Amino acid sequence: MATWNFPTSGTDGRRRAGWWGTLLLGLLLAGCSDGPAETLLVDYQRRLADALGLAPPSPGHPPNIGAFPEPEARLFPVGETREGMLAVFALRDCHIANLVAGRNNQLGRVAAPSQRWLYELALWRRLSGCWNTEVPERLGETDRVRLARLTRTKTEQLPRASWNALFDSSEWVGSFSRASAPLAPDALAAVEAQLPALHYLREATLHQFDRRWPPDSATLEGHLKTLQTRPLTAELLRALLLAERRLEEASALLETALADGTGCTDLTATAGHDRLTRWLDGLQQQSRRWLQGLDQLIEAQLVDPPPTVAAYRQRWLSLEAEQAPWPALAAARERHRDLREAMIRHCG
């Protein structure tokens, strides 16, 4: 019997091991210092406290991002397709025997998720293309029914295989790793480096049923490799969380000073504020672009996300949900601006 399904990929497992080793090393290194984003934010807090004549706050630990859903909760089941070799041979004019053989050899059995999708795509194109030729007319009734069933099954399974190719890849999962540090202020250009990967993956998803679109393994793997260079999603989210927490702590200083109502200072000259503002502007702009790219890629999928992925997306990746990191930082910045302006008016 020829079994058309993929076991756990040994190759992908090794890639995951290498990725996690890099992330854990980065986490250990990050733990040796506050990090440049933390340094910038705490320096602003201290300068603001000095200007207000108050003690600087004791920085609290910002929360980490939530754990990415486990495989069984984020992937779709794709049922096995079993056909005897004689049945495959009967469909020889559809030219699928070499695909089945390639899938079932040693290399095929350890293929990465992206290669499994390319296989499913190629198989669907062969079967559906064959169905729209004169071949079915030459087949016996049993084989014609088999071809129709296989074509229908692979057409239905392809969107789920496409989703799994993305959400089961170590490169994609690694981008959401909790073992990461906040993105440094001078590393915002990393968004420019990785956005083309999101755009290509979206294009591949949208065009998988378009026979004019040529899938290319090297291009696909190259873009996935780009995502593997750093856990950018997690780094951006952690920078947003850190900035929100430190701004809320700085806002508490302003509230205390306003409530006291005795001392005044020229906050327009507070050292470090302009630099902090420039970084926060860049962080919000670049993280918005990245989160929009993620959203567009997920929206391009031809299946509805599993509930756990939908919940994760709403909680951590949304640009609108109040509790998500990006809107929360936007709200914290607005509150801090209002308090600074109130203090300036009070001292005017």
Side-chain angles (χ1 to χ4, degrees), residues 104-182:
N104 285 329
N105 66 26
Q106 184 175 3
L107 291 177
R109 289 180 179 275
V110 296
S114 55
Q115 295 301 310
R116 305 177 205 178
W117 173 68
L118 289 176
Y119 164 79
E120 292 290 341
L121 178 61
L123 183 57
W124 171 79
R125 288 189 173 189
R126 294 274 181 91
L127 288 169
S128 60
C130 185
W131 179 255
N132 291 294
T133 66
E134 72 284 353
V135 169
E137 299 178 3
R138 300 199 301 264
L139 295 173
E141 179 64 18
T142 300
D143 292 327
R144 185 164 56 251
V145 170
R146 179 180 291 111
L147 175 58
R149 174 174 51 80
L150 289 175
T151 303
R152 183 174 59 255
T153 297
K154 288 303 170 184
T155 301
E156 294 171 351
Q157 289 181 347
L158 188 58
R160 297 197 293 273
S162 174
W163 173 278
N164 289 354
L166 179 63
F167 276 81
D168 197 28
S169 68
S170 59
E171 298 89 349
W172 177 257
V173 175
S175 185
F176 300 85
S177 171
R178 304 180 80 226
S180 56

Side-chain angles (χ1 to χ4, degrees), residues 83-114:
E83 295 293 339
M85 292 308 299
L86 289 178
V88 173
F89 179 75
L91 302 178
R92 58 190 177 277
D93 288 342
C94 294
H95 307 291
I96 62 172
N98 60 333
L99 282 176
V100 176
R103 210 291 293 147
N104 285 329
N105 66 26
Q106 184 175 3
L107 291 177
R109 289 180 179 275
V110 296
S114 55

Side-chain angles (χ1 to χ4, degrees), residues 16 60 90 155 170 177 191 205 207 236 252 278 306 316 348:
R16 289 174 187 267
T155 301
S170 59
S177 171
V191 173
T205 301
H207 289 88
L236 285 167
R278 287 193 298 271
W316 298 105

Side-chain angles (χ1 to χ4, degrees), residues 272-322:
H273 180 255
D274 289 346
R275 183 185 174 208
L276 177 67
T277 298
R278 287 193 298 271
W279 171 57
L280 291 175
D281 286 345
L283 175 62
Q284 280 194 274
Q285 179 184 29
Q286 291 295 75
S287 56
R288 170 184 275 276
R289 295 178 65 208
W290 183 255
L291 292 172
Q292 284 177 333
L294 293 177
D295 187 68
Q296 290 167 357
L297 176 54
I298 295 175
E299 281 295 312
Q301 304 299 315
L302 300 178
V303 291
D304 293 329
T308 55
V309 175
Y312 186 96
R313 180 184 180 189
Q314 178 76 0
R315 173 63 182 86
W316 298 105
L317 308 181
S318 175
L319 289 168
E320 299 176 354
E322 292 183 1

Side-chain angles (χ1 to χ4, degrees), residues 257-280:
L258 285 167
D260 180 63
T262 56
C264 273
T265 186
D266 182 11
L267 289 185
T268 59
T270 304
H273 180 255
D274 289 346
R275 183 185 174 208
L276 177 67
T277 298
R278 287 193 298 271
W279 171 57
L280 291 175

